[in-house]
Amino acid sequence: MLVYSSLSLLLLSFSLTVNTAVIRRDSPVNFPLKKRLDLKSGSLNLKNVVLRDVARAKSLRSRAQTILDGGVINDIVSKLIRDEVHEEGVSNSAVFYTASIGVGTPPTTYEVLVDTGSSNTWIGAQPNNSYKVTKSSVKTKDTVSVSYGSGSFSGNEFLDSVTLGSDLVLVNQSIGVATTSQGLDVDGILGIGPNDLTLRTLSPPNGQPIPTVTDTAFQQGQIGLNEIGVYFEPIVSSSQGAGQLSFGGVDTSKLIGSMQFTPVTSVRPASAYWGIEQTIQYGSEALLTGSAGIVDTGTTLVLIATDAFVKYRDAVGAVLDEDTGLLRINSTQSNQLKSLVFQISGNTLELTPNAQLWPRSLNTAIGGSNDYLYLIVADIGVKSGSGLDFVNGYTFLERFYTSFDTANKKVGFAQTAFTNSTLN
């Protein structure tokens, strides 16, 4: 097996591609996702998910600040970040989306988490499904490491073929192959965040970002736009739900109306991610005004700044439930819930009263009671003005189609059939 530096391989790849005709697809390539409810032998403590989401937000904030300040995310810094956030494992997530990708020639299948809060793609977290070296595998001289609020990995960089369905096979995609990892119950992560998040994840650092799978697909002429669409379906039972990634644009068959875009914010540290600015109101009461935060598939709940959370809690009349860690209301209060309104670049997105509820059919699965209703809005753990005042997680994204446009540094939203659903 030959070993090259990342730079020499990059130059070789460039020399080959400049003489190759690029034929781009006009329509996006759709890639199915599986949504899983982690019941942990029939009993899931959602309080762990609240803690995990808050830990993840703290880690994202710390990691972004290190990257934006030009620091290196080495093993020592990774440990400091993990220690600071009192790390909760990824496996504590109540719901998560996975993709089945192929790596190598012929491909070996790996189940990976889909994460917009990171940009490295890596495998090797499970010893029983380790990386298989094939004829397309090329090991570079670099090592790679990434720390998350919900886990970490370190290992070696390879360039290899990555299969994202029968219609999309990437050549010489950079992947990490873990020699050590923490906090993951699947094989790895498919990182689809901004590629600057990969800066200094290689050692020795070369000052260049690693192309994400979306970057590579676009650079190799396999998709027409450097953009990815994300579609999630709400889950109301313990069976698997569905989702979809669309590489190269959006799947218009999933939309009601048109996409409305907003620029990625320049406010730090949200600017390091798919960060946006939004105003949040509960009914007519302002909770956050023009605040910066992020859109994140790796977060289960909708997290808002502590002062906004207190306003929301008091306006709803909710109490904090000790068993689940979530806000709790009764049926009378549920009937009086108002919409949670998000104003984003002049466009209005409405999280209806029903969309603010944890699915009632799953109350006992999270250690709750059928006599109560639980809300999916939680405290991010810091006051507003931090530069990362909110996280719009799964429970937001399940109600809106979302587009992440790398080329134009924009995030887009559109209504779907589930926006106004009363499934919960």
Side-chain angles (χ1 to χ4, degrees):
M1 179 175 59
L2 297 176
V3 179
Y4 297 92
S5 70
S6 294
L7 180 60
S8 63
L9 286 164
L10 181 64
L11 293 173
L12 174 61
S13 175
F14 178 76
S15 67
L16 291 174
T17 55
V18 292
N19 294 316
T20 303
V22 173
I23 302 175
R24 301 193 187 278
R25 292 183 174 91
D26 292 330
S27 57
V29 178
N30 297 325
F31 185 54
L33 302 176
K34 293 185 294 185
K35 182 177 181 181
R36 293 177 15 181
L37 176 69
D38 188 357
L39 291 176
K40 296 196 178 302
S41 302
S43 177
L44 182 150
N45 182 358
L46 192 59
K47 191 171 183 179
N48 288 342
V49 176
V50 178
L51 294 175
R52 172 200 173 272
D53 277 359
V54 172
R56 177 177 171 84
K58 288 187 70 175
S59 175
L60 292 173
R61 186 180 290 107
S62 297
R63 187 165 182 268
Q65 204 61 59
T66 301
I67 292 172
L68 292 169
D69 290 343
V72 177
I73 306 292
N74 56 28
D75 290 341
I76 295 175
V77 173
S78 294
K79 184 179 185 305
L80 290 174
I81 291 173
R82 293 197 301 272
D83 289 346
E84 177 189 351
V85 301
H86 308 292
E87 180 178 337
E88 297 286 336
V90 170
S91 58
N92 286 332
S93 181
V95 290
F96 53 92
Y97 285 88
T98 64
S100 293
I101 67 172
V103 179
T105 308
T108 300
T109 300
Y110 301 94
E111 185 179 16
V112 292
L113 290 177
V114 176
D115 185 17
T116 56
S118 66
S119 301
N120 295 78
T121 292
W122 63 275
I123 57 174
Q126 301 305 313
N128 62 352
N129 194 24
S130 59
Y131 177 60
K132 310 297 191 300
V133 174
T134 69
K135 62 183 181 181
S136 58
S137 307
V138 179
K139 185 179 182 182
T140 76
K141 293 181 178 179
D142 298 323
T143 59
V144 58
S145 62
V146 181
S147 177
Y148 311 86
S150 49
S152 63
F153 94 95
S154 60
N156 299 304
E157 185 196 32
F158 280 77
L159 302 185
D160 212 336
S161 295
V162 174
T163 301
L164 303 171
S166 58
D167 293 333
L168 192 57
V169 180
L170 312 180
V171 179
N172 289 333
Q173 171 65 43
S174 171
I175 61 168
V177 176
T179 52
T180 61
S181 65
Q182 299 179 48
L184 206 63
D185 284 345
V186 292
D187 293 313
I189 288 180
L190 181 70
I192 55 172
N195 64 12
D196 279 355
L197 290 174
T198 66
L199 285 170
R200 294 173 289 278
T201 58
L202 289 180
S203 182
N206 60 17
Q208 299 297 318
I210 301 170
T212 66
V213 290
T214 316
D215 292 333
T216 300
F218 180 74
Q219 291 164 3
Q220 294 180 359
Q222 300 201 55
I223 56 176
L225 299 172
N226 194 350
E227 180 182 359
I228 189 166
V230 178
Y231 173 75
F232 295 148
E233 294 182 5
I235 190 167
V236 294
S237 70
S238 59
S239 62
Q240 289 185 345
Q244 179 182 279
L245 295 182
S246 296
F247 291 97
V250 302
D251 182 353
T252 56
S253 71
K254 305 292 187 186
L255 311 185
I256 294 177
S258 59
M259 297 292 304
Q260 303 294 328
F261 286 90
T262 187
V264 171
T265 183
S266 60
V267 177
R268 298 167 55 151
S271 58
Y273 302 101
W274 291 115
I276 63 172
E277 296 176 30
Q278 65 185 18
T279 292
I280 306 178
Q281 296 175 208
Y282 175 70
S284 60
E285 181 176 358
L287 304 181
L288 289 172
T289 303
S291 292
I294 66 172
V295 182
D296 181 37
T297 62
T299 299
T300 299
L301 305 170
V302 174
L303 301 180
I304 58 176
T306 300
D307 46 322
F309 174 77
V310 170
K311 290 180 183 178
Y312 175 77
R313 179 199 66 196
D314 293 348
V316 172
V319 297
L320 192 64
D321 183 75
E322 292 185 1
D323 294 326
T324 65
L326 291 176
L327 290 178
R328 186 186 75 205
I329 58 175
N330 58 38
S331 57
T332 300
Q333 291 168 315
S334 172
N335 292 333
Q336 297 171 349
L337 272 179
K338 301 173 183 178
S339 290
L340 199 59
V341 178
F342 298 74
Q343 296 285 349
I344 305 173
S345 288
N347 300 302
T348 299
L349 301 180
E350 183 178 346
L351 208 57
T352 64
N354 185 266
Q356 295 168 58
L357 300 177
W358 177 260
R360 281 169 275 192
S361 61
L362 298 176
N363 278 2
T364 56
I366 62 172
S369 167
N370 286 327
D371 295 330
Y372 297 114
L373 298 99
Y374 302 95
L375 302 173
I376 51 82
V377 178
D379 182 0
I380 200 171
V382 295
K383 293 181 179 180
S384 59
S386 71
L388 207 164
D389 292 347
F390 62 84
V391 181
N392 294 352
Y394 284 150
T395 43
F396 176 92
L397 297 173
E398 287 167 341
R399 299 291 177 148
F400 302 100
Y401 193 102
T402 308
S403 167
F404 301 100
D405 185 343
T406 297
N408 298 298
K409 296 185 178 180
K410 298 187 299 184
V411 179
F413 303 97
Q415 292 191 18
T416 74
F418 295 105
T419 299
N420 298 309
S421 170
T422 57
L423 285 171
N424 293 340

